[in-house]
Amino acid sequence: MTTDTVSQSTHATVQRFLSTPVGMLIGGRRVEATSGNWFDSIDPATGSRLTSVALGDPADVDRAVTAAHAAFDDPSWQRLAPLDRGRLLHRLADLIEEHADELALLESYDNGKPLSVARAVDVGTSAKLFRYFAGWPSKYEGATIPVSPRGGLDVLNYTTHEPIGVVGAIVPWNFPMSMAVWKLAPALATGNTVVLKPAEETSLSTLRLVELIHEAGFPPGVVNVVTGPGATVGAAIAAHPGIGKVAFTGSTAVGRAVAIAATGNLKKVSLELGGKSPNIVLPDADPDTVAAAAAEAIFFNQGQTCTAGSRLYVHADLYDEVLSGVVDRARRIVVGPGTDPATEMGPLVSAKQHKTVCGYVESGRAEGGRVAAGGGRPATLASEYAGGFFVEPTVIEAPDDGLTVVQEEIFGPVLTVLRWHETDDLIRRANASPYGLAAGIWTRDLTSAHTLARAIRAGTIWINCYNLTDPASPFGGYKESGWGREMGRAALDLYTETKSVWVNLG
């Protein structure tokens, strides 16, 4: 591992964190699992063990829910003034920025992504999210309603927004820290307490983040972390009768299971699920610009992004030129360990994900697709990374939309390129997916851009850009891509109940 981009002291800090087994955080304390069991956190660049993490189970979820309820009922949190809640969130953002190198290095080790991406996206976005939501506690207002009650009564009707209570948050492994913050920031801004389950593949940055939450001054038990598998810990959170709302990001299949489990006490549910996003190139687009952007849209974060531009629809007039440009860029991407400053694309997160992605590539070949770039393991990796979960940036020419690689979410660096001729047929094909998370449109013609943006059934449309997000802009999907909208003011509604109060003034 190189030391070009972070200090020796930062490396030493991270090594100390990894040198002993990492327990869960419940009620403000680091604790072992009730069972006393541990599981290994694996470095995806080498396949070797990083450290051990507490293996939680439903009993630990019970402990965390009890702690979260106690914190929710405690006046030190429940009666905290809105401005003071905002100050805590700002202080937490300060601490994230102070520890940015440490958090980014930990994320790169645990997830495999390039250190530069971990610092700019995972850590930078997390601080930005807490700062944005720090402004909301003093501004999330109710309303007075001009009602017309029967009998001519003289009444005052007003609404208030109140926290739901204990929130269960289940987050994925692709952006471990920032996905946790997508839930934590609005939940805390609105006065809730949280039981959080990070993905078992990538628990480390979240565990360190919650230490900073305590350091920022949040009362013990306001945020609790239970680590372990989704099938046990995640399922227990989704079904727990003491949790009033569950927020989940992950696959559509698991999202369905979460929604079903939540019916026991009819808890509120928000789901940010899968995608198979169309990236559409019109005949007047600039081929060089499109090729560079299309490569970034799919290969960013090793393709492990729910909004990945995995279906590239190119008009027949530009098809050959755009394809050639994307293939050239795919072949020039430097693949390696995330901690190497030269790396542009790291390994996949786990052996399981590596096997899944390689299986999709083989199915693409078997079903008639042409692998125009990649498709295997990079040949230039050093021997110390022989056990790592690496896949080349891969481009597959698809003869039609029927291929499995075109239809299903791969969650890896695999791009399918398809040709189109007529706009109406393009719209039909772009929308012929159970998903509706995002889409990209590339054109100089604003009329065409806005017409297509209106026609595509997706929660986010990018025109002449891709993968832009901001804490102020709502994010979520149509169809099987989820329920609800995260970020922006819309996120506050996911974590609150609206109370209507009627007062007879007569």
Side-chain angles (χ1 to χ4, degrees):
M1 180 172 144
T2 65
T3 58
D4 294 346
T5 57
V6 294
S7 68
Q8 290 287 356
S9 63
T10 299
H11 281 268
T13 297
V14 169
Q15 290 303 324
R16 283 195 298 273
F17 185 83
L18 298 175
S19 64
T20 57
V22 186
M24 301 178 293
L25 285 156
I26 296 177
R29 296 187 301 112
R30 179 80 69 190
V31 298
E32 295 185 12
T34 302
S35 66
N37 294 328
W38 304 85
F39 66 95
D40 288 342
S41 179
I42 301 298
D43 180 352
T46 63
S48 60
R49 174 183 169 277
L50 282 171
T51 190
S52 297
V53 179
L55 181 62
D57 61 22
D60 298 302
V61 173
D62 284 340
R63 294 163 67 194
V65 172
T66 298
H69 271 289
F72 182 76
D73 292 335
D74 194 309
S76 67
W77 179 246
Q78 191 175 91
R79 297 178 186 172
L80 191 66
L83 283 176
D84 291 331
R85 207 180 316 138
R87 287 192 187 99
L88 285 177
L89 291 166
H90 274 302
R91 174 60 181 145
L92 178 54
D94 290 340
L95 287 171
I96 290 171
E97 289 170 348
E98 289 172 20
H99 293 268
D101 283 351
E102 174 194 345
L103 292 164
L105 185 58
L106 197 59
E107 197 82 306
S108 184
Y109 262 137
D110 204 20
N111 173 274
K113 66 180 63 189
L115 184 60
S116 59
V117 174
R119 184 185 286 110
V121 178
D122 297 72
V123 179
T125 296
S126 294
K128 189 176 179 181
L129 277 157
F130 279 125
R131 290 209 188 282
Y132 171 80
F133 281 103
W136 272 114
S138 60
K139 302 173 186 67
Y140 188 40
E141 302 167 338
T144 56
I145 314 297
V147 293
S148 303
R150 64 182 180 273
L153 289 175
D154 181 13
V155 300
L156 168 66
N157 178 235
Y158 64 91
T159 61
T160 61
H161 300 295
E162 299 183 355
I164 290 173
V166 177
V167 170
I170 305 170
V171 299
W173 44 255
N174 59 333
F175 295 97
M177 182 174 163
S178 59
M179 288 293 97
V181 175
W182 278 33
K183 321 297 187 202
L184 289 170
L188 297 176
T190 48
N192 297 280
T193 58
V194 181
V195 175
L196 172 65
K197 192 202 91 69
E200 58 268 34
E201 295 89 346
T202 54
S203 300
L204 301 180
S205 63
T206 302
L207 289 164
R208 182 68 183 104
L209 170 66
V210 177
E211 289 183 339
L212 297 180
I213 288 174
H214 296 148
E215 185 178 336
F218 286 83
V222 168
V223 179
N224 309 273
V225 181
V226 182
T227 48
T232 52
V233 175
I237 289 173
H240 202 289
I243 291 176
K245 184 263 186 318
V246 63
F248 172 80
T249 295
S251 72
T252 296
V254 177
R256 287 193 185 94
V258 168
I260 292 168
T263 60
N265 66 335
L266 294 179
K267 59 174 59 69
K268 305 290 188 294
V269 177
S270 57
L271 304 170
E272 198 268 282
L273 306 177
K276 191 68 179 177
S277 301
N279 203 4
I280 296 165
V281 184
L282 273 62
D284 66 337
D286 176 66
D288 288 339
T289 300
V290 167
E296 175 70 12
I298 183 62
F299 300 131
F300 169 67
N301 207 52
Q302 297 72 251
Q304 297 172 146
T305 307
C306 56
T307 56
S310 53
R311 291 188 290 155
L312 183 62
Y313 288 98
V314 186
H315 190 273
D317 291 350
L318 295 182
Y319 183 87
D320 291 338
E321 193 172 357
V322 170
L323 175 64
S324 175
V326 172
V327 166
D328 177 64
R329 284 164 174 80
R331 289 173 176 167
R332 288 191 282 113
I333 290 173
V334 178
V335 181
T339 51
D340 186 337
T343 293
E344 297 173 306
M345 197 180 91
L348 300 179
V349 73
S350 66
K352 178 182 177 182
Q353 188 64 13
H354 183 269
K355 181 179 179 180
T356 296
V357 172
C358 291
Y360 273 111
V361 174
E362 291 309 308
S363 80
R365 284 194 178 102
E367 294 174 12
R370 184 182 79 87
V371 178
R377 180 181 176 82
T380 57
L381 289 168
S383 60
E384 64 186 294
Y385 302 114
F389 313 130
F390 295 93
V391 174
E392 293 175 300
T394 300
V395 179
I396 300 176
E397 279 194 274
D400 57 63
D401 292 42
L403 277 65
T404 302
V405 289
V406 179
Q407 292 294 315
E408 297 184 8
E409 184 178 38
I410 298 172
F411 227 64
V414 181
L415 175 67
T416 55
V417 188
L418 303 107
R419 193 186 311 257
W420 68 274
H421 297 271
E422 301 296 331
T423 301
D424 288 346
D425 184 55
L426 166 70
I427 293 170
R428 179 192 62 77
R429 294 166 67 189
N431 286 332
S433 169
Y435 301 111
L437 191 58
I441 300 167
W442 299 88
T443 179
R444 294 185 178 96
D445 184 341
L446 285 177
T447 298
S448 296
H450 288 295
T451 300
L452 279 174
R454 184 169 57 187
I456 302 300
R457 301 278 295 167
T460 297
I461 307 292
W462 289 294
I463 299 173
N464 296 328
C465 56
Y466 206 88
N467 262 340
L468 296 183
T469 61
D470 188 89
S473 180
F475 180 89
Y478 288 30
K479 299 184 283 186
E480 294 182 23
S481 286
W483 293 348
R485 294 294 180 269
E486 298 192 290
M487 298 198 293
R489 187 196 183 284
L492 303 174
D493 296 338
L494 300 178
Y495 295 92
T496 55
E497 299 279 16
T498 298
K499 178 178 287 184
S500 178
V501 179
W502 294 72
V503 182
N504 184 352
L505 301 176

